[in-house]
């Protein structure tokens, strides 16, 4: 396995990271397996709705003995598509609140009243909440589906596959201490949502269920002959998501998180590469390649400017499938030569999709190594003051040779900076020397920080302790802690200049969304990426009897002609 691990130079540059695909180790997939294994229960207690979509709903939830309550307030659509997280204030089509336990009616009414203020400055809650889940309707599909159901017909499946693939779009998860919600540390250690990103992603899953229940409820309110969305179509629905460039700052600020995300993936891939070509995993891989290629064939992106066209990925997946079938007939060697051939001849995105599917063919190892995800996220930042300057310089040369060799001369090397926007509530990127707020710059310049540290260390004797350097220059403590904390973690740093003119924020955004579990990440610009979570995932009613089967990349549902509009 060690011999099969990819060097960081081969997979940690921005362009390579942007090609990563969701895997069995992505957070949404890990969450889904736990939901299925533990038979999480999500039951709708009531869903009050009029024919305009003015609705209130309540769900009772049991997470393997941990009780939660989820309330929903949906509003009549005003005809305006809402695309930003904060740009529209609280003018959302839906707000949900996820409570610990079972609050009484008075507490629930107070939360509904908070939503109805529609004033972001006045909306506050308390630590009895895991978080708020705002969402907006799909302008293209939501009303079309309602109209079909109210008329007693199913919507055309092709509308979902070629459309957005979702009825509602996530507008952020307001939790982790924001607006008064419980902090991450406040969640009990034995709670299922204590796992990193589980609260956020479970909120997405709940919005997906609400979107299906809401179109059914509106259709019922409009017509006595309405039908419910067919289960095959409902499972085909995902939850939309769009993410911006603030993620670039996050992946620079928390490199030990990045290290844990990538190391589990690379370990699982190295294990799979080292396995012999044999029938069981091989036949499974053939099926997965066929299923995934068919899915890519059906995808119609709004823009292919920043990605490999889906039809090209589909064609190359089928080419690789023929190579796999030939290898199975010969039964020689391991998967490694076949993957090397793919890396040399196929598109980078196709090769990473193949990696993802091969990891799926060895689920036991992948599931075992996934246990490291929360461990890696808890690695604390540390300083070893007794370390000598010579030893620290050795670490820098070993870990950051790429950074020392990167030139920061010229205007393009420092063209951009990031800052936290009060207006939008998240990170934005500006042009240095042109845009305001440069004095509020957020940290993204790892290369510059490492070069400054190395230059400073050269002025000290080799046997000087690091403590002396920090006493003389306290501002270097951050860089020193970063180097010492990440020693031995090859996949921690993005090996590129995030402030340079050549860097597109979409690179880092696509990487992080793949880690979270989004399929087919689609940049609509260099700084904005959209896609769908949980498309194909068992519905709430399915969890009691679901199995841990491969649900991503679902085939387009097939209904009888009389069933759809």
């Amino acid at each position: 396995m060690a011999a099969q691990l990819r060097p960081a130079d081969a997979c940690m540059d921005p362009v390579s990271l942007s090609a990563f695909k969701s895997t069995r180790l992505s957070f949404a997939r890990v969450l889904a397996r736990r939901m299925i294994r533990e038979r999480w229960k999500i039951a709708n207690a009531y869903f009050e709705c009029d024919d305009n979509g003015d609705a209130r709903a309540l769900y009772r939830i049991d997470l393997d003995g941990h009780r939660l309550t989820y309330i929903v307030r949906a509003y009549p659509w005003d005809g305006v598509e809402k695309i930003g997280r904060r740009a529209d204030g609280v003018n959302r089509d839906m707000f949900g609140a996820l409570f610990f336990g079972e609050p009484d009616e008075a507490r629930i009414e107070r939360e509904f009243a908070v939503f109805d203020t529609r004033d972001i400055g006045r909306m506050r809650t308390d630590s009895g909440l895991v978080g708020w889940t705002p969402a907006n309707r799909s302008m293209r599909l939501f009303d079309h589906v309602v109209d079909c159901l109210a008329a007693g017909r199913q919507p055309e499946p092709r509308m979902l596959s070629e459309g957005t693939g979702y009825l509602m779009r996530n507008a952020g998860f307001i939790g982790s201490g924001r607006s008064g919600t419980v902090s991450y540390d406040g969640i009990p250690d034995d709670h299922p949502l204590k796992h990193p990103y589980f609260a956020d992603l479970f909120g997405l899953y709940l919005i997906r269920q609400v979107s299906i229940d809401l179109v059914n409820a509106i259709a019922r309110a409009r017509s006595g002959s309405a039908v419910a969305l067919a289960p095959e179509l409902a499972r085909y629905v995902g939850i939309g998501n769009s993410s911006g460039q603030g993620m670039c700052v996050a992946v620079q600020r928390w490199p030990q998180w990045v290290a844990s995300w990538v190391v589990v993936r690379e370990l699982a891939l190295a294990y799979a590469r080292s396995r012999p070509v044999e029938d069981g995993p091989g036949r499974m891989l053939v099926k997965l390649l066929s299923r995934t290629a068919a899915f890519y064939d059906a995808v119609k992106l709004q823009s292919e400017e920043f990605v490999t066209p889906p039809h090209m990925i589909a064609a190359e997946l089928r080419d690789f499938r023929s190579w796999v079938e030939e290898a199975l007939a010969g039964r020689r060697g391991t998967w490694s030569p076949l993957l090397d051939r793919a890396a040399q001849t196929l598109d980078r995105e196709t090769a990473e999709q193949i990696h993802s599917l091969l990891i799926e063919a060895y689920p036991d190892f992948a599931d075992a190594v996934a246990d490291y995800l929360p461990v890696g996220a808890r690695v604390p930042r540390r300083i070893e003051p007794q370390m000598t300057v010579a030893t620290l310089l050795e670490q820098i040369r070993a870990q950051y040779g790429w950074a020392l060799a990167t030139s920061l001369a010229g205007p393009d090397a420092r063209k951009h900076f990031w800052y936290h926007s009060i207006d939008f509530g998240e990170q934005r990127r500006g042009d240095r020397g042109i845009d305001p707020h440069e004095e509020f710059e957020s940290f993204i310049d790892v290369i510059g920080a490492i070069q400054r540290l190395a230059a400073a260390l050269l002025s000290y004797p080799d046997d000087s302790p690091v403590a002396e350097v920090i006493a003389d220059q306290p501002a270097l403590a951050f860089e020193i802690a970063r180097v010492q904390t990440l020693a031995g973690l090859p996949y921690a740093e993005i090996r590129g200049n995030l402030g340079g003119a050549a860097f597109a924020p979409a690179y880092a955004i696509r990487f992080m969304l793949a880690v979270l579990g989004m399929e087919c990440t689609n940049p609509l610009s260099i700084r904005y990426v959209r896609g769908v979570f949980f498309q194909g995932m068992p519905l709430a009613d399915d969890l009691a009897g679901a199995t841990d089967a491969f649900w991503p990349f679902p085939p387009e549902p097939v209904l009888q002609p009389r069933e759809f509009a």
Side-chain angles (χ1 to χ4, degrees):
M1 281 180 56
Q4 294 295 341
L5 281 171
R6 292 194 291 181
D9 286 342
C11 60
M12 290 303 295
D13 65 278
V15 176
S16 295
L17 289 172
S18 75
F20 273 32
K21 302 300 180 186
S22 172
T23 72
R24 189 175 180 88
L25 297 155
S26 297
F27 286 98
R29 300 278 300 283
V30 177
L31 170 64
R33 287 198 298 279
R34 183 163 185 177
M35 293 173 67
I36 293 169
R37 182 178 68 249
E38 296 179 353
R39 305 298 186 213
W40 289 11
K41 299 178 180 64
I42 304 169
N44 180 226
Y46 65 80
F47 208 110
E48 302 167 352
C49 181
D50 69 10
D51 57 359
N52 287 318
D54 195 339
R56 287 186 175 198
L58 184 145
Y59 295 79
R60 303 291 186 192
I61 302 171
D62 184 344
L63 311 185
D64 196 30
H66 296 267
R67 298 301 181 96
L68 297 170
T69 301
Y70 184 57
I71 65 169
V72 175
R73 182 71 173 96
Y75 298 95
W77 193 46
D78 56 10
V80 177
E81 184 176 26
K82 304 162 189 69
I83 57 176
R85 288 180 181 269
R86 289 281 296 276
D88 300 309
V90 293
N91 186 27
R92 299 300 178 201
D93 296 328
M94 188 210 95
F95 258 93
L98 185 60
F99 288 88
F100 290 106
E102 299 180 352
D104 59 27
E105 187 174 340
R107 177 65 188 87
I108 290 172
E109 285 300 320
R110 289 201 305 272
E111 204 69 17
F112 278 136
V114 169
F115 293 159
D116 288 342
T117 63
R118 314 284 275 173
D119 182 349
I120 194 65
R122 295 165 55 199
M123 289 183 67
R124 299 287 295 174
T125 188
D126 58 41
S127 59
L129 253 70
V130 180
W132 285 335
T133 59
N136 296 313
R137 297 185 184 188
S138 163
M139 188 169 70
R140 180 176 179 183
L141 286 181
F142 191 94
D143 282 344
H144 171 76
V145 172
V146 170
D147 290 343
C148 290
L149 298 179
R153 303 186 298 267
Q154 294 296 325
E156 167 65 60
R158 183 52 57 90
M159 281 289 294
L160 291 174
S161 62
E162 293 186 353
T164 55
Y166 60 85
L167 300 174
M168 298 193 79
R169 181 175 57 254
N170 165 49
F173 177 74
I174 303 174
S176 302
R178 286 179 292 174
S179 299
T181 56
V182 69
S183 68
Y184 177 78
D185 287 339
I187 300 175
D189 288 340
D190 65 341
H191 200 283
L193 299 185
K194 183 70 169 184
H195 193 289
Y197 295 108
F198 273 17
D200 314 52
L201 291 165
F202 187 57
L204 290 185
Y205 182 84
L206 291 174
I207 296 172
R208 179 213 188 200
Q209 185 63 47
V210 169
S211 71
I212 296 164
D213 293 342
L214 184 58
V215 293
N216 287 335
I218 297 175
R220 285 196 307 269
R222 290 184 182 177
S223 170
S225 59
V227 296
L229 190 64
E232 309 95 294
L233 290 176
R235 293 186 194 99
Y236 196 67
V237 167
I239 174 67
N241 185 85
S242 60
S243 295
Q245 54 200 337
M247 287 185 170
C248 300
V249 178
V251 295
Q252 289 292 71
R253 183 173 181 178
W254 301 106
Q256 60 269 50
W257 292 9
V258 175
S260 68
W261 302 339
V262 180
V263 75
V264 296
R265 183 186 193 279
E266 293 303 310
L267 278 172
L269 177 58
Y271 178 84
R273 287 177 62 96
S274 70
R275 296 298 90 195
V277 174
E278 52 190 353
D279 262 348
R283 295 302 169 193
M284 180 178 181
L285 180 59
V286 168
K287 292 179 181 178
L288 294 177
L289 287 164
S290 298
R291 176 186 175 109
T292 307
F295 182 89
Y296 275 107
D297 274 336
V299 172
K300 305 296 181 185
L301 299 180
Q302 290 178 271
S303 170
E304 295 181 349
E305 185 176 355
F306 306 102
V307 298
T308 303
H311 68 85
M312 177 178 173
I313 296 177
E316 291 189 338
L317 289 175
R318 292 190 175 96
D319 289 341
F320 186 79
R321 182 185 62 191
S322 67
W323 302 353
V324 172
E325 290 170 337
E326 292 171 3
L328 287 171
R331 299 273 187 93
R332 293 191 302 272
T334 68
W335 292 108
S336 182
L338 214 56
L339 295 187
D340 290 342
R341 180 184 174 188
Q344 293 163 7
T345 60
L346 303 181
D347 182 83
R348 191 192 308 256
E349 289 202 40
T350 306
E352 291 295 356
Q353 185 62 73
I354 291 168
H355 292 163
S356 171
L357 298 177
L358 185 61
I359 289 171
E360 188 72 30
Y362 295 92
D364 292 343
F365 184 89
D367 293 354
V369 77
D371 290 341
Y372 180 72
L373 286 168
V375 177
R378 291 195 298 267
V379 171
R381 200 164 270 159
R382 69 178 190 273
I383 288 182
E384 299 176 26
Q386 76 282 3
M387 180 181 287
T388 65
V389 165
T391 301
L392 185 58
L393 279 169
E394 287 175 7
Q395 286 188 354
I396 292 173
R397 294 186 186 106
Q399 296 173 223
Y400 291 94
W402 60 274
L404 297 177
T406 301
S407 173
L408 294 180
D412 285 349
R414 297 185 181 274
K415 181 175 175 59
H416 298 296
F417 69 96
W418 268 259
Y419 63 96
H420 187 88
S421 169
I422 294 176
D423 291 337
F424 295 100
E426 57 188 10
Q427 296 286 337
R428 288 289 188 264
R429 189 173 76 158
D431 284 350
R432 198 178 299 279
I434 298 175
D435 292 323
H437 313 309
E438 195 172 330
E439 66 272 24
F440 301 111
E441 183 172 358
S442 300
F443 174 76
I444 52 95
D445 186 16
V446 171
I447 296 172
I450 293 299
Q451 291 184 359
R452 287 190 297 272
L453 173 60
L457 292 175
L458 291 173
S459 66
Y460 288 83
D462 285 350
D463 60 354
S464 297
V466 165
E468 183 179 335
V469 180
I470 296 173
D472 293 342
Q473 304 182 63
L476 293 177
F478 173 80
E479 288 88 342
I480 291 171
R482 190 180 187 104
V483 173
Q484 293 179 332
T485 301
L486 302 181
L489 299 178
Y491 303 119
E493 299 283 20
I494 296 177
R495 301 193 171 200
N497 179 12
L498 273 64
F503 175 76
Y507 295 153
I509 302 169
R510 292 189 78 197
F511 160 66
M512 189 166 181
L513 289 174
V515 169
L516 291 174
M518 179 184 283
E519 312 292 351
C520 294
T521 54
N522 175 213
L524 296 186
S525 73
I526 62 170
R527 62 184 66 187
Y528 171 61
V529 179
R530 70 184 304 175
V532 180
F533 284 94
F534 295 119
Q535 189 173 16
M537 166 76 176
L539 302 172
D541 290 342
D542 299 333
L543 292 177
T547 60
D548 183 17
F550 185 79
W551 51 263
F553 303 116
E556 182 180 296
V558 177
L559 301 178
Q560 295 301 317
R562 66 179 183 277
E563 291 185 277
F564 55 79

